[in-house]
Amino acid sequence: MAKNTNIRISLPAVCFVWQIAMIILFGVFIRYDEESDTHWIEHRRKKNISTNLENDFYYRYPSFQDVHVMIFVGFGFLMTFLKRYSFGGVGFNFLIAAFGIQWALLMQGWFHHLDEHDWKIKIGVENLINADFCVASCLIAYGACLGKVSPVQLMVLTLFGVTLFAVEEYIILELLHAKDAGGSMVIHTFGAYYGLTISWVLYRPLLSQSKHLQGSVYHSDVFAMIGTLFLWMYWPSFNSAIADHGDGQHRAVINTYLALASSVLTTFAISSISQNNGKLDMVHIQNATLAGGVAMGTASEFMITPYGSLIVGFCSGIVSTFGYLFLTPFMEKTLKIQDTCGIHNLHAMPGVIGGIVGAITAKGKLCGGYQAAALFVAIAFGLVGGALVGGILKLPIWGDPADVNCFDDDVYWEVPEEDENFLSRHPNMNHATSIPDV
Amino acid sequence: MAKNTNIRISLPAVCFVWQIAMIILFGVFIRYDEESDTHWIEHRRKKNISTNLENDFYYRYPSFQDVHVMIFVGFGFLMTFLKRYSFGGVGFNFLIAAFGIQWALLMQGWFHHLDEHDWKIKIGVENLINADFCVASCLIAYGACLGKVSPVQLMVLTLFGVTLFAVEEYIILELLHAKDAGGSMVIHTFGAYYGLTISWVLYRPLLSQSKHLQGSVYHSDVFAMIGTLFLWMYWPSFNSAIADHGDGQHRAVINTYLALASSVLTTFAISSISQNNGKLDMVHIQNATLAGGVAMGTASEFMITPYGSLIVGFCSGIVSTFGYLFLTPFMEKTLKIQDTCGIHNLHAMPGVIGGIVGAITAKGKLCGGYQAAALFVAIAFGLVGGALVGGILKLPIWGDPADVNCFDDDVYWEVPEEDENFLSRHPNMNHATSIPDV
Amino acid sequence: MAKNTNIRISLPAVCFVWQIAMIILFGVFIRYDEESDTHWIEHRRKKNISTNLENDFYYRYPSFQDVHVMIFVGFGFLMTFLKRYSFGGVGFNFLIAAFGIQWALLMQGWFHHLDEHDWKIKIGVENLINADFCVASCLIAYGACLGKVSPVQLMVLTLFGVTLFAVEEYIILELLHAKDAGGSMVIHTFGAYYGLTISWVLYRPLLSQSKHLQGSVYHSDVFAMIGTLFLWMYWPSFNSAIADHGDGQHRAVINTYLALASSVLTTFAISSISQNNGKLDMVHIQNATLAGGVAMGTASEFMITPYGSLIVGFCSGIVSTFGYLFLTPFMEKTLKIQDTCGIHNLHAMPGVIGGIVGAITAKGKLCGGYQAAALFVAIAFGLVGGALVGGILKLPIWGDPADVNCFDDDVYWEVPEEDENFLSRHPNMNHATSIPDV
């Protein structure tokens, strides 16, 4: 029954081989674009650009940094809620995001930005944002698997996830010409179904053996709120980061701000009404409050009107909270899908809502059709890709934990041990108190 | 003695009714402004604007996001310091801010931005900042009531608080033509007296019954420092967010940066000198260090000079720390005002200092007089508004906790329980550890 | 053996005297520059500047705020990892940074920005960034001394540190005309050797008496990750904040982003390979992942190419992690240097790497020579300055703790005590479990 979780060879090997591969591929393919290269001055002169401020850097850098915070602190801390998996939550998020952004620059570059003259990918700040976006889909998928996979499996999940993302994104944005500035479909729907399918393939029938570790403690819930709030606050930047300069970015911010505010209220309402005593559940507050941002991803730039945004947030907050209440337990029991963070409720359903909203509000019947087609592409890539990658991750070579050791940082981390001398000298200390012997 | 704190009907009802009202009112009144609307391109052409960068979005978006962080993480985490009210601190802050910003867009819109031609409110990024500002006054008021009110009461407090704010702001900025870019008077003074008066009306004679929960524990104090630091760091953005383009915003940042730095030093000094052994008190460090930002709110744009800013911070740090040492206990005993977070010290007194500094440094005797009048308006609105709203909140229908249950998340939240099996299996763990019985 | 750690007179005295000195010196020397002064409008007209956006404020303010977050939350929370020194970590960081930025505005102003006509220092947003940079070097030095010095000693360390920094920076940037936009040499190398030399002078032979406090607990490690991530995410802003407008800032961001991503992977790899069971060590993840940012400080603006940046991060992550594994214990045992945070691994070695990378990639042999000379100046200032200041700090008048009381917040802070009534009423609570009845 005991599994070998020693990753002393495999993790360093994967990290080194892949990082060296990145260096070689970057050496062959990646260069600065005309706005980040010293040729910028000539470019300015040639194009008669009057000021350095017209460098795309100044349009997008503040949004980029906000997105960057969402990826590393937002997703990272949102996954610290488990009582003994905070290291793994924030730490593995850090690892796979740092790898994923490099691979995303290459994959997205090959599909979207390959210069036909010299076969180089020219990168600037918009590429950095897109790389962060791409990685977000893999971090969403991690949410379904949190606590049940090894870091090596996560690296594999990310390698294939980024690859699938780049293809899917190419089909949706370049072939179908669909709009999806904030990625309701491309990022959230794809990422969620990718992760859920992997989790379904990796189903653990005896996961209840680690049930005692599947909950939070008081302070881990407060840590998770750091993640929630940075995601919530910066979501307007997420949905506007690559929107059109000028009114496009401006409108995307307003729409997202309103949708998020609205979903907070319906989340609190449903959370309270669902308990006998009206008590609120931190799981809902940490997650479903964000549904408005997800659901506004496709239509963020559209003239959806301020009250339209409120309605989107209103509905998605309700749907997402109901998901945590009824769907997650149903999926676990009936569909054999174990979804640690409830990504189906936070990303899959609101993402699909976002895709539908986009299809409805897109101008013209044809556009609406292409938007709907895009949604199906995202779902299909998630399901098929997840099944394939799940199959690979099922091989018994990746060092994943036994069912009884899931959700335990002790498997992959040196966890600090309490010093008993310290305790006995400070008997009144608040963190290191004792259990009455019965 | 036992009170009914079941909010299973009232909280969802308030959330749903008010959110639906918001949707309807937004539908009737709120539209994009000319810079966030697709007409921006025509507007640019008509006004001969050469670049998208002149869209106000690019002047104000970075400041907006900083203010947004202050509202949700800054205020939210500052209120996590209590040992068992961190969920309520950060969670209810989240709820009322998300509601308040919607109501503020309407109220401030009706008073300041109503288009006379079509009776619509046209919103852009500056409105989002102003909505965040407006909500700040209600969050300040929450600080006085922290741990003693139900979320339904907080929703009522916010509904009326935003309403009062919009009227007071209209009188001060539009009728008196006073300057108050960072809101020393409009936000801090009003918000603080509003909250203090409510707390006075809701006086709880037997609050000492929950005294064991009125303190912090080690880690909750560290959580609160997250709030403190994000408020402190981003306060220059707060005081410059709606200042004039160009030198106005630039100067507001410098002045606020310096005032804040100065108040840190005097806070540490007074905190240390006030204890027999010179030990520092986290309550002072978490709060009084921010007094410089509050006190620089009115005059932030003025040519107050860099050393003038240092003097403002110097004085407000001292006054604020002395407030925590002497005034808060005095107010509780003598004036029957129970001020959980000490908002009198952090917002009321430094806010009044800010108003006075503004009146003194405003150009011209007349201007100075209007600034002084504005300060009185802010105080009056706080006192009278607080008395009225306090009266409403005293009705026995809002589900507030009994004196013995104050400051306890267990009343309104599902608090995670410790799993004893877990403990007994991990006897050496640092959070739930045991001391060997000798 | 017992030392007098009462700082009730000394700390307030230092804070007051120095803050008053700051006010006087600011009154004599510091004024707004032409972009933060009301004369900006005339300046614009005179120089024919078409828009307020050309005010340097709009080029640099977003980066400034990111740097500000790194100084106060980044460095502050990185130093919360000790189980009982989180208050001192984040609190004293706050104190000395707030003082240091004021003194830095003066010192850097005298050396770099003194107006020859009126002998005034004219400040704007770039000066604020530089002041934050300057203080960073002292916070790095604090890392070596964490837990072993009094706040009064830290104020002295900062006073001299800022002074030395300004001179060293003047020599490197103005006399040698070396490039160092992100301060690999000026900030990191200098700061690290300054702190290490001080720590060497203040060597404590019996420090093992407080060994029980030298580790982390589970939640303090998560707190430290807040610091790590904000440093990591915003490092591109650090290295680009004072880079040239346009492509310079743009390229610095790309290079730093890539170097950091790369060092994450090699850090995880070396951390895992170094343990028998492949388990990861939080100390490495919290620190060595940042080495790429440090090492990219000098060459951030250069045309170092994207894959060049990856290589820099690759190497510095390895070197830094090996430092934590082998060098820190070696230095403590053999060289008698006690380096609490391992700044030699995070700042000294990557800083030197950064200086060397700069010397190699600088255009022209001569430039390369000056870059190399700059590196020696930084090291020399650190060593000699540290020896002098260490000597001063060795005087028995500063209230530093006894060896047995190091790493204990209880020496300088009112630490909250657990309330026993609370415990006995909530026997199942996770944070406040009970004390065995004797």
Side-chain angles (χ1 to χ4, degrees):
Chain A
M1 279 295 280
K3 284 190 169 192
N4 180 8
T5 59
N6 190 323
I7 51 169
R8 195 183 174 189
I9 304 302
S10 55
L11 182 62
V14 167
C15 288
F16 271 119
V17 170
W18 292 7
Q19 188 58 54
I20 291 167
M22 290 301 110
I23 292 173
I24 295 168
L25 290 168
F26 270 58
V28 175
F29 286 104
I30 300 221
R31 298 292 178 271
Y32 304 117
D33 72 8
E34 60 205 354
E35 312 204 46
S36 60
D37 189 282
T38 44
H39 291 101
W40 160 248
I41 293 294
E42 296 156 37
H43 178 75
R44 263 187 65 184
R45 217 173 291 137
K46 213 164 53 190
K47 295 237 175 167
N48 209 12
I49 296 168
S50 63
T51 162
N52 275 321
L53 283 165
E54 289 289 342
N55 193 306
D56 199 40
F57 180 77
Y58 298 101
Y59 282 95
R60 306 219 183 269
Y61 190 62
S63 317
F64 159 65
Q65 275 295 7
D66 295 349
V67 171
H68 217 40
V69 172
M70 292 174 73
I71 299 298
F72 290 88
V73 160
F75 282 104
F77 272 85
L78 192 60
M79 293 198 265
T80 59
F81 72 100
L82 289 169
K83 68 180 84 171
R84 291 304 281 182
Y85 210 73
S86 302
F87 289 8
V90 69
F92 295 150
N93 183 83
F94 192 18
L95 172 65
I96 62 180
F99 163 66
I101 52 180
Q102 299 178 54
W103 181 229
L105 285 171
L106 284 161
M107 282 302 303
Q108 294 184 313
W110 285 322
F111 276 95
H112 298 276
H113 299 283
L114 204 60
D115 188 318
E116 289 177 8
H117 297 94
D118 59 3
W119 298 98
K120 303 291 184 211
I121 300 159
K122 308 289 172 61
I123 62 170
V125 66
E126 192 169 339
N127 300 70
L128 306 188
I129 297 171
N130 276 314
D132 274 14
F133 277 4
C134 177
V135 155
S137 67
C138 299
L139 303 180
I140 291 164
Y142 178 27
C145 309
L146 183 72
K148 302 175 297 182
V149 289
S150 77
V152 183
Q153 284 178 307
L154 288 171
M155 293 291 277
V156 175
L157 178 152
T158 304
L159 181 78
F160 287 103
V162 167
T163 310
L164 290 161
F165 180 96
V167 179
E168 166 233 26
E169 185 191 36
Y170 178 75
I171 296 171
I172 290 175
L173 302 187
E174 311 272 325
L175 302 186
L176 295 175
H177 295 288
K179 290 266 180 194
D180 200 17
S184 290
M185 304 181 289
V186 173
I187 300 167
H188 297 285
T189 305
F190 162 71
Y193 285 108
Y194 180 59
L196 289 167
T197 314
I198 290 174
S199 199
W200 174 73
V201 176
L202 300 181
Y203 180 69
R204 290 168 173 274
L206 300 174
L207 191 60
S208 62
Q209 289 179 347
S210 54
K211 201 163 189 65
H212 59 292
L213 288 171
Q214 265 195 74
S216 62
V217 289
Y218 194 68
H219 281 172
S220 70
D221 268 327
V222 182
F223 276 120
M225 280 303 289
I226 297 174
T228 299
L229 288 174
F230 275 100
L231 287 170
W232 195 91
M233 297 179 303
Y234 286 157
W235 216 294
S237 295
F238 195 92
N239 283 353
S240 70
I242 57 166
D244 288 341
H245 289 179
D247 63 294
Q249 288 194 290
H250 202 153
R251 192 163 54 250
V253 162
I254 295 172
N255 289 337
T256 310
Y257 175 96
L258 293 174
L260 285 162
S262 181
S263 58
V264 172
L265 268 86
T266 50
T267 299
F268 271 83
I270 303 294
S271 184
S272 174
I273 215 168
S274 67
Q275 295 283 339
N276 271 324
N277 44 18
K279 290 189 187 185
L280 297 157
D281 189 328
M282 261 291 171
V283 171
H284 307 154
I285 309 308
Q286 284 159 9
N287 292 282
T289 51
L290 301 166
V294 175
M296 191 44 79
T298 298
S300 62
E301 271 187 280
F302 295 2
M303 289 289 288
I304 193 171
T305 73
Y307 72 90
S309 305
L310 289 182
I311 294 171
V312 170
F314 188 93
C315 300
S316 53
I318 294 173
V319 168
S320 184
T321 315
F322 271 120
Y324 280 98
L325 286 165
F326 303 112
L327 236 84
T328 300
F330 169 81
M331 284 169 63
E332 178 148 0
K333 271 184 206 147
T334 315
L335 304 181
K336 309 290 180 203
I337 299 174
Q338 292 155 332
D339 178 5
T340 313
C341 295
I343 63 166
H344 189 263
N345 315 309
L346 173 48
H347 298 280
M349 290 193 296
V352 170
I353 291 175
I356 295 169
V357 168
I360 294 170
T361 56
K363 277 186 200 149
K365 218 177 194 173
L366 195 67
C367 283
Y370 282 125
Q371 293 289 135
L375 183 57
F376 282 103
V377 171
I379 294 173
F381 263 79
L383 295 176
V384 177
L388 290 171
V389 176
I392 295 168
L393 295 181
K394 224 178 154 62
L395 299 175
I397 57 170
W398 305 114
D400 55 310
D403 292 353
V404 71
N405 290 324
C406 284
F407 314 112
D408 193 346
D409 271 334
D410 206 42
V411 177
Y412 303 115
W413 296 87
E414 296 286 332
V415 177
E417 289 206 29
E418 198 59 19
D419 177 345
E420 301 209 8
N421 290 330
F422 173 63
L423 292 178
S424 55
R425 270 191 259 160
H426 295 71
N428 282 330
M429 273 189 46
N430 50 307
H431 290 286
T433 40
S434 78
I435 297 163
D437 54 291
V438 192
Chain B
M1 278 295 280
K3 285 191 168 190
N4 180 8
T5 58
N6 191 324
I7 51 169
R8 195 183 174 188
I9 305 302
S10 55
L11 182 63
V14 167
C15 287
F16 271 118
V17 170
W18 292 6
Q19 187 58 53
I20 290 167
M22 290 300 109
I23 291 173
I24 295 168
L25 290 168
F26 270 58
V28 176
F29 285 106
I30 301 224
R31 298 292 178 271
Y32 304 116
D33 72 8
E34 60 204 354
E35 313 204 46
S36 60
D37 189 282
T38 44
H39 291 100
W40 160 247
I41 292 294
E42 296 156 36
H43 178 75
R44 263 186 66 182
R45 216 173 292 137
K46 212 164 55 192
K47 296 237 174 168
N48 209 11
I49 296 167
S50 62
T51 161
N52 276 320
L53 283 165
E54 289 290 340
N55 193 305
D56 200 39
F57 180 77
Y58 299 100
Y59 283 96
R60 306 222 182 266
Y61 189 64
S63 316
F64 159 66
Q65 274 294 7
D66 295 348
V67 171
H68 217 41
V69 172
M70 293 174 73
I71 298 298
F72 290 89
V73 159
F75 282 103
F77 272 85
L78 192 60
M79 294 199 266
T80 59
F81 72 100
L82 289 169
K83 67 180 83 169
R84 291 303 282 184
Y85 210 73
S86 302
F87 289 8
V90 69
F92 295 150
N93 183 83
F94 192 18
L95 171 65
I96 61 180
F99 163 65
I101 53 179
Q102 299 178 54
W103 181 229
L105 284 170
L106 283 162
M107 283 300 304
Q108 294 183 313
W110 284 322
F111 276 95
H112 298 277
H113 298 284
L114 204 61
D115 189 317
E116 289 178 6
H117 297 95
D118 59 2
W119 298 99
K120 303 291 184 211
I121 299 160
K122 309 288 173 64
I123 62 170
V125 67
E126 192 170 339
N127 301 68
L128 306 188
I129 298 171
N130 276 314
D132 274 14
F133 277 4
C134 177
V135 154
S137 67
C138 299
L139 303 180
I140 291 165
Y142 177 27
C145 310
L146 184 71
K148 301 175 298 183
V149 289
S150 78
V152 183
Q153 284 178 308
L154 287 172
M155 293 291 277
V156 175
L157 178 152
T158 304
L159 181 79
F160 286 103
V162 167
T163 310
L164 290 160
F165 180 96
V167 179
E168 166 232 26
E169 186 191 35
Y170 178 74
I171 295 172
I172 289 175
L173 301 187
E174 310 272 324
L175 302 186
L176 295 175
H177 294 289
K179 290 266 180 193
D180 201 17
S184 291
M185 303 180 290
V186 173
I187 300 167
H188 297 286
T189 305
F190 162 71
Y193 285 108
Y194 179 60
L196 290 167
T197 314
I198 290 174
S199 197
W200 174 73
V201 176
L202 300 180
Y203 180 70
R204 289 168 173 273
L206 300 176
L207 190 61
S208 62
Q209 289 178 347
S210 54
K211 202 166 187 63
H212 59 291
L213 288 171
Q214 265 196 71
S216 61
V217 288
Y218 194 69
H219 281 173
S220 69
D221 269 327
V222 183
F223 277 120
M225 280 303 290
I226 297 173
T228 299
L229 288 175
F230 275 99
L231 287 170
W232 194 91
M233 297 179 304
Y234 285 157
W235 216 294
S237 295
F238 195 91
N239 284 352
S240 70
I242 56 164
D244 289 341
H245 290 178
D247 63 295
Q249 289 194 289
H250 202 154
R251 192 163 53 250
V253 162
I254 295 172
N255 289 336
T256 309
Y257 175 96
L258 293 174
L260 285 161
S262 181
S263 60
V264 172
L265 268 86
T266 51
T267 299
F268 271 83
I270 303 294
S271 183
S272 173
I273 214 168
S274 68
Q275 296 283 341
N276 272 324
N277 44 17
K279 290 188 186 184
L280 297 157
D281 189 329
M282 260 291 170
V283 171
H284 307 154
I285 308 308
Q286 283 159 7
N287 291 282
T289 51
L290 301 166
V294 176
M296 191 45 78
T298 299
S300 62
E301 271 188 280
F302 296 1
M303 289 290 287
I304 194 173
T305 73
Y307 74 90
S309 305
L310 289 182
I311 293 171
V312 170
F314 188 93
C315 300
S316 53
I318 293 172
V319 168
S320 184
T321 316
F322 271 121
Y324 280 98
L325 286 165
F326 303 113
L327 238 85
T328 300
F330 168 82
M331 284 168 63
E332 177 146 3
K333 271 183 206 149
T334 315
L335 304 181
K336 310 290 180 203
I337 299 174
Q338 292 156 331
D339 177 6
T340 313
C341 294
I343 64 166
H344 189 263
N345 315 308
L346 173 49
H347 298 280
M349 290 193 296
V352 170
I353 291 176
I356 294 170
V357 168
I360 294 171
T361 56
K363 277 185 201 148
K365 220 179 193 174
L366 196 66
C367 284
Y370 283 125
Q371 294 288 136
L375 183 57
F376 282 103
V377 170
I379 295 172
F381 262 79
L383 295 176
V384 176
L388 291 171
V389 176
I392 296 168
L393 296 180
K394 227 180 153 60
L395 300 174
I397 57 171
W398 304 114
D400 55 311
D403 292 353
V404 71
N405 291 324
C406 284
F407 315 112
D408 194 345
D409 270 334
D410 206 42
V411 177
Y412 303 115
W413 297 86
E414 295 286 333
V415 176
E417 288 205 29
E418 197 60 18
D419 177 345
E420 300 208 10
N421 290 329
F422 172 63
L423 292 177
S424 55
R425 271 194 256 159
H426 294 71
N428 282 328
M429 273 190 47
N430 47 305
H431 289 287
T433 39
S434 69
I435 296 166
D437 54 292
V438 192
Chain C
M1 276 297 280
K3 285 191 169 189
N4 180 8
T5 58
N6 190 324
I7 50 168
R8 195 183 174 189
I9 304 301
S10 55
L11 182 63
V14 167
C15 287
F16 271 118
V17 170
W18 293 6
Q19 188 58 54
I20 290 167
M22 289 301 109
I23 292 173
I24 295 169
L25 290 168
F26 269 60
V28 176
F29 287 104
I30 300 221
R31 298 293 179 272
Y32 303 118
D33 72 8
E34 59 204 355
E35 312 204 45
S36 61
D37 189 282
T38 44
H39 290 101
W40 161 248
I41 293 293
E42 296 157 37
H43 178 75
R44 262 187 65 184
R45 217 173 291 137
K46 213 164 53 190
K47 294 236 174 168
N48 209 11
I49 296 168
S50 62
T51 161
N52 275 321
L53 282 166
E54 288 290 340
N55 193 306
D56 199 38
F57 180 77
Y58 299 100
Y59 283 95
R60 305 220 183 269
Y61 190 63
S63 316
F64 159 66
Q65 274 294 8
D66 295 349
V67 172
H68 217 41
V69 171
M70 292 174 73
I71 299 299
F72 289 89
V73 160
F75 282 104
F77 272 86
L78 193 60
M79 293 199 266
T80 59
F81 71 101
L82 289 169
K83 66 181 85 168
R84 290 304 280 183
Y85 210 73
S86 301
F87 289 7
V90 68
F92 295 150
N93 183 84
F94 192 18
L95 172 65
I96 62 180
F99 163 66
I101 52 180
Q102 299 178 55
W103 181 228
L105 284 170
L106 283 162
M107 283 301 303
Q108 293 182 314
W110 285 322
F111 275 95
H112 297 276
H113 298 284
L114 204 60
D115 189 317
E116 288 177 9
H117 297 94
D118 60 2
W119 298 100
K120 302 291 184 212
I121 300 160
K122 307 291 171 62
I123 62 170
V125 66
E126 192 170 340
N127 300 69
L128 305 187
I129 297 171
N130 276 314
D132 275 13
F133 277 5
C134 177
V135 154
S137 68
C138 298
L139 302 180
I140 292 164
Y142 177 27
C145 309
L146 184 72
K148 301 174 299 182
V149 290
S150 77
V152 183
Q153 284 178 308
L154 287 171
M155 293 292 276
V156 175
L157 177 152
T158 304
L159 181 78
F160 287 104
V162 168
T163 311
L164 290 160
F165 179 96
V167 179
E168 167 233 26
E169 185 191 36
Y170 178 75
I171 294 172
I172 289 175
L173 301 187
E174 311 272 324
L175 301 187
L176 295 174
H177 295 288
K179 290 267 180 192
D180 201 17
S184 290
M185 302 181 290
V186 173
I187 300 168
H188 297 285
T189 305
F190 162 72
Y193 285 108
Y194 180 60
L196 290 166
T197 314
I198 289 174
S199 197
W200 174 73
V201 176
L202 300 180
Y203 180 69
R204 290 170 174 273
L206 300 175
L207 190 61
S208 61
Q209 289 178 347
S210 54
K211 202 164 188 65
H212 59 292
L213 289 171
Q214 265 196 73
S216 61
V217 288
Y218 194 68
H219 281 173
S220 70
D221 268 327
V222 183
F223 276 121
M225 281 304 289
I226 298 173
T228 299
L229 288 175
F230 275 99
L231 287 170
W232 195 91
M233 297 179 304
Y234 286 157
W235 216 295
S237 295
F238 195 91
N239 284 352
S240 69
I242 57 164
D244 288 340
H245 289 179
D247 63 294
Q249 287 194 291
H250 203 153
R251 193 163 53 249
V253 162
I254 295 173
N255 289 336
T256 309
Y257 175 96
L258 293 173
L260 285 162
S262 181
S263 59
V264 172
L265 269 86
T266 51
T267 298
F268 271 83
I270 303 293
S271 183
S272 174
I273 215 168
S274 67
Q275 295 283 342
N276 270 325
N277 43 18
K279 289 188 187 184
L280 297 158
D281 189 328
M282 261 291 171
V283 172
H284 307 154
I285 309 309
Q286 283 159 8
N287 292 281
T289 51
L290 301 166
V294 176
M296 192 44 78
T298 299
S300 63
E301 270 188 281
F302 296 1
M303 289 289 287
I304 194 173
T305 74
Y307 72 90
S309 305
L310 289 181
I311 293 171
V312 170
F314 188 92
C315 300
S316 52
I318 294 172
V319 168
S320 185
T321 315
F322 272 120
Y324 279 97
L325 286 165
F326 303 112
L327 237 84
T328 300
F330 169 82
M331 283 168 65
E332 177 148 2
K333 271 183 206 148
T334 314
L335 304 180
K336 309 291 179 201
I337 298 173
Q338 292 155 332
D339 177 5
T340 313
C341 295
I343 63 167
H344 189 264
N345 315 310
L346 173 49
H347 298 280
M349 290 192 297
V352 169
I353 291 175
I356 293 169
V357 168
I360 293 170
T361 56
K363 276 185 200 147
K365 219 179 195 172
L366 196 66
C367 285
Y370 283 125
Q371 294 288 135
L375 183 57
F376 283 102
V377 170
I379 295 173
F381 262 79
L383 295 175
V384 177
L388 290 171
V389 175
I392 295 168
L393 296 180
K394 225 179 154 61
L395 299 175
I397 57 171
W398 305 114
D400 55 309
D403 291 352
V404 71
N405 291 324
C406 285
F407 314 112
D408 193 347
D409 270 334
D410 205 41
V411 177
Y412 303 114
W413 297 86
E414 296 285 333
V415 176
E417 288 207 28
E418 198 60 20
D419 177 345
E420 302 208 7
N421 291 330
F422 172 63
L423 292 179
S424 54
R425 271 194 256 158
H426 295 71
N428 282 329
M429 274 186 47
N430 48 308
H431 289 286
T433 38
S434 76
I435 297 164
D437 53 295
V438 192

